[in-house]
Amino acid sequence: MIGFYNYTVILTYISLVCSVIGISFAVSGNTLVAILCLLISGCCDMFDGRIARAKKDRTPDEENFGMEIDSLCDLVCFTALPAVIAYCLGGNHILAIFSGALLVLCGVIRLAYFNVLEMKRKAETPDAPTEYRGLPVTVAALIFPAVYLLKDVCGTLFPTVFQCSLIITAILYVLNFRIKKPGIKGVLAMAAAGTVIAVIAIVTHII
């Protein structure tokens, strides 16, 4: 089988599979499970890069493969999955299509631009980057589940609120601003935030 196979890409593949499962549940009308799948994908993505960088004997081809596979999986996890969720929520049909398409388009642009900058950086210095350019697409794993918690508050307006959050996030993907990359404490804090959001979403759904 073609490809490069080692433990550094396992979490990336798990993230992708979770998102495909999430898309299936969203289409079936189970938005809560789809949101939980988005959170799990985000959690996997937070740690897959650190695991990959910890492996010191990776070849240049393995490193490039890991970067490309990560971006391709991110496209499904953090743009396609939220777009499907937004569409399946109903509401204004045109707004649902527009917001989803815009999120995927801006996500593609953001990820491709990141790859270009990353290849340029690797050619100039071995040091890891210290900041992001534009909003990282993986932040979608926290933004959209957090918006989902407003479902009961917004009532019938919730689909529109969720779809508008896609539009705002899409624009932030391609705006030219810098964000400092979080350290291990920041990553753990985001993982904790994701866990809290998941618990609240489950509890409120049961109640």
Side-chain angles (χ1 to χ4, degrees), residues 140-167:
L142 283 179
I143 293 176
F144 301 130
V147 174
Y148 179 78
L149 297 182
L150 300 175
K151 184 177 181 180
D152 293 335
V153 176
C154 297
T156 56
L157 290 177
F158 176 69
T160 300
V161 171
F162 193 89
Q163 290 151 10
C164 288
S165 73
L166 262 67
I167 295 173

Side-chain angles (χ1 to χ4, degrees), residues 5-83:
Y5 299 94
N6 55 61
Y7 67 85
T8 64
V9 294
I10 292 177
L11 274 182
T12 305
Y13 293 155
I14 292 175
S15 175
L16 176 64
V17 171
C18 282
S19 291
V20 174
I21 293 172
I23 289 172
S24 301
F25 274 97
V27 172
S28 300
N30 197 329
T31 308
L32 173 63
V33 175
I35 288 292
L36 294 177
C37 287
L38 178 58
L39 281 165
I40 294 171
S41 294
C43 187
C44 290
D45 187 83
M46 279 191 284
F47 295 101
D48 63 356
R50 293 180 179 276
I51 291 174
R53 288 190 292 272
K55 192 175 190 298
K56 302 302 182 182
D57 58 345
R58 286 194 302 165
T59 66
D61 284 343
E62 287 176 327
E63 290 184 10
N64 290 331
F65 178 81
M67 181 179 70
E68 295 295 338
I69 208 71
D70 185 67
S71 290
L72 291 170
C73 290
D74 284 353
L75 182 63
V76 177
C77 299
F78 308 118
T79 66
L81 173 56

Side-chain angles (χ1 to χ4, degrees), residues 46-47 50 182-195:
M46 279 191 284
F47 295 101
R50 293 180 179 276
I184 186 62
K185 291 183 179 179
V187 170
L188 292 175
M190 287 188 289
T195 302

Side-chain angles (χ1 to χ4, degrees), residues 53 63 117-131 181:
R53 288 190 292 272
E63 290 184 10
L117 292 183
E118 183 65 9
M119 287 187 288
K120 181 180 179 181
R121 181 198 64 79
K122 288 169 65 176
E124 296 174 351
T125 175
D127 297 333
T130 59
E131 60 184 16
K181 291 192 69 171

